[in-house]
Amino acid sequence: MDAPLLQLSQYLNLLLAYWWPFCRIMAMLSLAPLFSQRAIMVRVRVALAVALTVAMGAAIPDLPILDPFSMQGVAAVFEQIAVGLMLGLALQLVFTIYTLVAGIISTPMGLSMAMVNDPVHGVSSSSILYQLYYILLVLLFFAVDGHLVVMSVLYLSFIYWPIGSGLYYDGFSTVLYAFGWVFSAAVLISTPIVFCMFLVQFCFGLLNRISPSMNLFSLGFPMAIVMGLTLIYLTLPNLGESYLNLTQQLLDSIGIMMRESGNG
């Protein structure tokens, strides 16, 4: 008579062995680049998280025995959600850099009001220059097998940050400090174009000051757009190299963060 109850308990333990990894994977996919887009339905994201959980379930370290209905079990769920969100946010930083780059370049070009509908990101509008950079980044992401890199980082997180080992302040502080890296990288990438646009605006303003009757300053607005598009065209060949360098720096930072604050 006790055999069915014993089998039910075994099935429950097996289900719990996949529950906590599922929480971390689902949280990471909600912020990871491309996987978090509104174009991907929630059901597709959940199915992908379940598939990854089943695939990684046998490879991750042994899980501690936790009662899911105890405070320790509830804390473990929130721990996995926090770690997953931190990983997803960290992997999203390179795309965030080019979001800032597009915003910085759009202002001197006069395209800061050039917005297009963006249902993919769940916002009413976004910069048209960012749409250009975003399409190129998506192609580069799949060209360098970025989706496989995301899965590798996720698997290593279970090695260095086992389930039930607690949260690490060093990991969260490193992500917070990375926002400074995002701003500095965006400024470095956009500085050449912004400086050239400043020279164009300065020259037309100087000419308008010399001969105000010709109203040459009004000619500077279309010329600024043409010059800005030309500069973007000239800098696009370096986009792949800069994307790879930024991604490598990001992965190195994540690796150092895992080794210093983890248990691996």
Side-chain angles (χ1 to χ4, degrees), residues 217-236:
F217 191 73
S218 61
L219 183 62
F221 292 105
M223 289 300 298
I225 296 177
V226 173
M227 183 60 66
L229 294 177
T230 303
L231 292 172
I232 291 175
Y233 174 76
L234 294 176
T235 56
L236 281 182

Side-chain angles (χ1 to χ4, degrees), residues 42 150-151 156 209 235 256:
V42 178
V150 172
M151 298 301 106
L156 290 176
R209 185 68 176 177
T235 56
I256 295 173

Side-chain angles (χ1 to χ4, degrees), residues 14-15 18 33 39 42 69 73 91 119 124 128 140 169 189 254 259:
L14 181 61
L15 179 62
Y18 289 96
V42 178
F69 301 104
L91 294 171
S124 58
I128 192 171
L140 288 172
Y169 171 77
I189 294 174
I254 293 176
R259 288 191 295 269

Side-chain angles (χ1 to χ4, degrees), residues 2 15 37 41 45 54-56 69 97 109 117 249 256:
D2 296 335
L15 179 62
Q37 302 304 322
M41 296 184 296
R45 200 177 300 145
V54 174
M56 294 184 181
F69 301 104
I97 291 175
M109 286 182 59
N117 188 30
Q249 294 178 17
I256 295 173

